[in-house]
């Protein structure tokens, strides 16, 4: 994976349920990337990641690069975008009769 | 010097001992090649050091030593998981020495529980020697 | 079909209890994540990108109507109402919660099913021919032997912590439908001098370093099969590399030792291992041979079948593509396509699973198979029932007549699910299927296989066209291989040049297919034959034609 640059957010998966989590401004785990706290300093993000790495709640705590533009926080790499948004709408076979599947 | 706890085939925490008193310890990587077994067959005690519980060589080494007639006591030094005790017993391993720190987390009740329940093995039908004493 | 013995049942139940205890020890902190991970993997539980994933074993791809219905129920109760059938004849649920997994395993145990050894560095689910027992070209049904191996390998105390995963496949047909040469051990059931025997191939595997397995032991008699497997596993367990997971498969050890030395090491320990296998394991096999006897198939009038074939073109087309001759006259094996154009390849919804269970019960002697091509097979159907099967499948969206064609492609989960992926696979597969839907009859038999990273779960190395998704400087990039083959003359495909972006990929395939249609001798020469005859260079230039001109 590409070299990590600031800004970044802290992410992990939930131990109990497995879903994707982000660390919010108030140091709570939330499910929306848009609600994640954006660290402009990588060092600070690393310190925070180590601090919140509680193995009884989360697994795989790591940093993820997000875009620098103001406004909503979005992932820089497609992997993280998929991780944030879930698999494409096309993955779940649609009910019969609704053959029209988006492939984009 | 760190100290170790000896877990027997029933999962009981038996002896405590200073690590340096466990002399003659061989690392599993030194024993894995077949040529090396032969020299061990007449020893009264063989002690195998394992660095990680996921290094499953020790189970094949134990099994091969037993199949080739080793009748001595087979000891393993390393932080195996309680879940691996039945595998160790099936491989003819008599005791496992674990660190105090590991024994704190994986306490005696967890080890006892693994032995308490008879473990079913499909391989028993293949006359697998279950322990040193039946080897 | 094989039915669980009390021994199987108590073992599986016991494992559920052990696993429940392991989960609670993980939650209490008695086990660290590093310690817990191999234990959960041994029970089929992975962590993916968005959720845990549970991989359920369907040993040698065989399951009953009752079990299929149970899987549908599980998918609705604990998952999102669908399952994914895999190239290793398993089914995966993509959205279970860790805390629910002990209950799911318990529900599986009630169905005489489990997820044991579907993952982790141990001997995995044994796979075989999805037409086993129904195929015209087989020496004998390979499944009793597969079950024998399943029992031997299950919870084998010596082989739960191998250097790496270990996959065994077995096939018995003249044609190999289990890709045995891409497995750590591939077994070929042959007619030996005194009864069935096995040719043992070792050291195949795909992944980062694709290798075709080599024949090491020829015509091994049945009573020596398990000792040979145990000997091979012992040598591997002792000498396989543990310092680098990309070099830890048996194929790497086998290559570095060489065939003769490897064989010598196995033979050296074999006599003592032989001694430990008593008569009981042969007695066990004896009862398995009976358990797999194929159902009595009564003779049926085939008149209505021919009437239907002659009167309905859609039915005729489906029969031509999806129905395979059966060893019993008047019967056929039906391949139900899980590759409707534009759907996620290999996914089945709960209602589809139930429809398949109904069909199996009504006309299929209660039996279903999962094929490594990610489809479902009804192995024994009277030809006179085919019309009813077709009608029901149509209603369920399962009647796509595309087996063996472009849209019957294999795609691994890729980056839509998989934490190891470097690119998505499913949408690529969907776009290809939709794009060539009207051309695929013309293109004829053609196998496209797509993997979302070098681990090659989508078998791309052995596809006529292999597609490997990579990450090139933050953009998905797809590399094409040509000339891969499965079967007894299996070959690893040749990498063409640089990869393509998602949109370039489809244009490149357009050029590739045009070149094939222009260059083939006639419409009987299938894609792979044309590639073989002309060499891959011709097709490589077609792939890059426009790109170069630009
Ligand atoms: C989604 C989670 C999955 C993960 C994390 C995963 C992981 C891996 C890895 C790491 C390898 C390479 C092993 C090696 O070469 O040492 C591999 C190979 C393979 N996997 Fe998967 N896989 C996943 C899903 C699947 C699925 C869905 C299928 C079937 C469709 C599958 C079938 C295979 C096959 C056939 C191979 C190549 C054969 C071989 O082992 O050499 N895997 N997988
Ligand atoms: S090939 Fe790669 S992306 Fe696809 S399922 Fe396997 S590990 Fe995941």
């Amino acid at each position: 994976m590409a070299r990590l640059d600031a800004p970044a957010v802290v992410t992990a998966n939930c131990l109990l349920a497995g879903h994707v989590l982000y660390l919010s401004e108030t140091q709570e785990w939330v499910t929306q990337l848009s609600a994640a706290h954006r660290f402009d300093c990588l060092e600070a993000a690393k310190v925070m990641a180590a601090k919140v790495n509680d193995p009884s709640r989360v697994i795989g705590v790591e940093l993820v690069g997000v875009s620098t533009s103001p406004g909503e926080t979005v992932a820089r790499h497609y992997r993280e975008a998929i991780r944030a948004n879930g698999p494409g709408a096309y993955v779940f076979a649609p009910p019969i009769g609704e053959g029209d599947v988006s492939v984009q | 010097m760190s100290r170790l706890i000896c877990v027997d085939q029933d999962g009981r925490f038996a002896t405590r001992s200073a690590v340096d008193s466990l002399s003659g310890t061989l690392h599993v990587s030194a024993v894995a090649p077949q040529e090396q077994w032969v020299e061990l067959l007449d020893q009264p005690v063989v002690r195998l050091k394992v660095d990680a519980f996921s290094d499953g060589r020790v189970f094949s080494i134990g099994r091969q030593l037993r199949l080739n007639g080793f009748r001595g006591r087979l000891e393993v030094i390393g932080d195996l998981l309680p879940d691996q005790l039945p595998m160790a017993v099936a491989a003819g391993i008599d005791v496992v020495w674990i660190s105090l720190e590991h024994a704190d987390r994986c306490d005696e009740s967890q080890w006892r529980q693994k032995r308490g329940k008879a473990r079913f093995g499909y391989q028993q039908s293949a006359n697998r020697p279950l322990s040193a004493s039946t080897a | 079909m094989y039915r669980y013995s009390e021994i199987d049942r108590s073992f599986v139940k016991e494992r559920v209890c052990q696993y429940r205890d392991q989960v609670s020890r993980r939650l209490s902190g008695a086990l660290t994540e590093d310690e817990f991970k191999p234990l959960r993997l041994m029970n089929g539980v992975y962590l993916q990108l968005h959720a845990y994933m549970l991989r359920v074993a369907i040993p040698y791809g065989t399951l009953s109507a009752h079990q299929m219905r149970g899987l549908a129920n599980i998918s609705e109760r604990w998952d999102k109402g669908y399952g994914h059938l895999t190239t290793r004849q398993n089914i995966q649920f993509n959205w279970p919660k860790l805390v629910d997994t002990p209950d799911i395993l318990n529900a599986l145990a009630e169905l005489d099913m489990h997820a044991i050894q579907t993952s982790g560095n141990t001997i995995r689910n044994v796979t075989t021919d999805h037409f086993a027992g129904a195929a015209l070209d087989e020496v004998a049904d390979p499944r009793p032997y597969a079950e024998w191996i399943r029992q031997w390998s299950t919870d084998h105390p010596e082989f739960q912590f191998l250097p790496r995963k270990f996959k065994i496949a077995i096939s018995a047909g003249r044609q190999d439908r289990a890709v045995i040469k891409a497995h750590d051990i591939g077994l070929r059931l042959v007619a030996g001098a005194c009864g069935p025997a096995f040719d043992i191939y070792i050291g195949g595997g795909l992944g980062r370093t694709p290798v075709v397995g080599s024949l090491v032991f020829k015509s091994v008699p049945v009573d020596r099969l398990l000792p040979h497997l145990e000997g091979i596993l012992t040598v591997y367990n002792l000498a396989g590399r543990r310092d680098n997971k990309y070099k830890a498969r048996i194929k790497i050890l086998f290559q570095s030792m060489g065939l003769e030395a490897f064989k010598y090491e196995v033979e050296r320990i074999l006599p003592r291992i032989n001694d430990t296998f008593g008569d009981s394991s042969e007695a066990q096999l004896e009862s398995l041979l009976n358990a797999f006897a194929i159902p009595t198939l009564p003779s049926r009038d085939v008149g209505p079948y021919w009437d239907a074939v002659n009167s309905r073109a859609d039915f005729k087309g489906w029969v031509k593509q999806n129905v395979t001759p059966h060893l019993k006259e008047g019967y056929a094996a039906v391949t139900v396509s899980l590759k409707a154009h534009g759907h996620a390849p290999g996914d089945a919804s709960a209602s589809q699973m139930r429809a398949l269970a109904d069909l199996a019960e009504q006309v299929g002697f209660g039996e279903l198979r999962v094929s490594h091509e990610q489809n479902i097979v009804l192995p024994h159907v009277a030809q006179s029932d085919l019309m009813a099967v077709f009608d029901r499948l149509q209603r369920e969206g399962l009647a796509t007549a595309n087996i063996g064609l472009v849209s019957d492609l294999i795609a691994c989960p890729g980056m839509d699910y998989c934490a190891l992926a470097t690119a998505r696979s499913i949408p690529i597969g969907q776009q290809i299927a939709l794009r060539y839907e009207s051309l695929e009859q013309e293109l004829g038999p053609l196998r496209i296989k797509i993997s979302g990273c070098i681990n090659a779960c989508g078998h791309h190395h052995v596809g006529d066209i292999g597609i490997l998704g990579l990450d090139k400087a933050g953009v998905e990039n797809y590399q094409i291989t040509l000339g891969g083959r499965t079967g007894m003359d299996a070959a690893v495909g040749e990498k063409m040049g640089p990869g393509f972006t998602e949109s370039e990929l489809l244009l490149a395939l357009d050029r590739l297919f045009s070149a094939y249609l222009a260059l083939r001798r006639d419409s009987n020469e299938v894609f792979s034959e044309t590639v073989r005859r002309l060499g891959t260079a011709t097709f490589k230039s077609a792939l890059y034609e426009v790109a170069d001109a630009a």
Side-chain angles (χ1 to χ4, degrees), chain B residues 25-134:
Chain B
T25 301
L26 297 161
H27 195 268
V28 278
S29 57
V31 185
Q34 297 182 30
E35 299 77 38
Q36 310 300 318
W37 306 335
V38 187
E39 298 174 18
L40 302 177
L41 295 178
D42 300 327
Q43 303 283 327
V45 179
V46 170
R47 290 202 171 110
L48 299 175
K49 173 93 175 76
V50 182
D51 297 333
F53 71 91
S54 55
D55 187 341
R57 281 180 290 192
V58 70
F59 303 116
S60 281
I61 295 170
R63 169 96 174 135
Q64 285 300 322
L65 285 173
R66 293 297 180 198
L67 281 184
N68 284 280
F70 172 69
R71 293 296 165 103
R73 185 175 154 91
L74 185 54
E75 306 193 349
V76 168
I77 301 170
D79 289 345
L80 298 194
L81 302 180
D83 311 82
Q84 293 175 305
L85 183 62
M87 301 171 200
V89 172
I93 293 163
D94 294 287
V95 302
V96 182
W97 294 90
I98 60 174
S99 70
L100 279 186
E101 183 249 336
H102 190 60
D104 253 4
R105 252 188 320 110
C106 299
D107 59 24
E108 187 170 5
S109 68
Q110 294 173 40
W111 291 86
R112 291 297 299 262
Q113 201 209 350
K114 292 300 158 195
R115 243 359 250 172
K117 278 187 215 150
R119 170 185 166 110
F120 171 73
Y122 285 102
Q123 297 73 28
Q124 283 180 4
S125 62
N127 302 332
R128 173 167 290 274
L130 276 182
S131 69
S133 44
T134 58

Side-chain angles (χ1 to χ4, degrees), chain C residues 412-414 418 420-421 451-453 455-457:
Chain C
C412 79
C418 178
L420 304 176
S451 303
C453 80
N455 288 321
C457 302

Side-chain angles (χ1 to χ4, degrees), chain B residues 34-35 37 54-57 60 63 67-68 83-84 105 110 114 119-120 122-123 125-126 128, chain C residues 7-8 21-22 25 30 35 151-152 154-156 158 161 230 237-238 242 265 268 272 276 280:
Chain B
Q34 297 182 30
E35 299 77 38
W37 306 335
S54 55
D55 187 341
R57 281 180 290 192
S60 281
R63 169 96 174 135
L67 281 184
N68 284 280
D83 311 82
Q84 293 175 305
R105 252 188 320 110
Q110 294 173 40
K114 292 300 158 195
R119 170 185 166 110
F120 171 73
Y122 285 102
Q123 297 73 28
S125 62
R128 173 167 290 274
Chain C
I7 293 173
D8 293 316
D21 167 61
Q22 287 158 354
R25 278 153 66 215
E35 289 167 344
Q151 296 191 9
W152 161 79
T154 296
D155 205 30
H156 197 302
E158 204 177 325
F161 292 87
E230 195 152 310
N237 193 29
L238 290 171
R242 289 174 185 268
E265 292 294 316
R268 184 148 73 156
R272 299 220 184 250
T276 66
S280 61

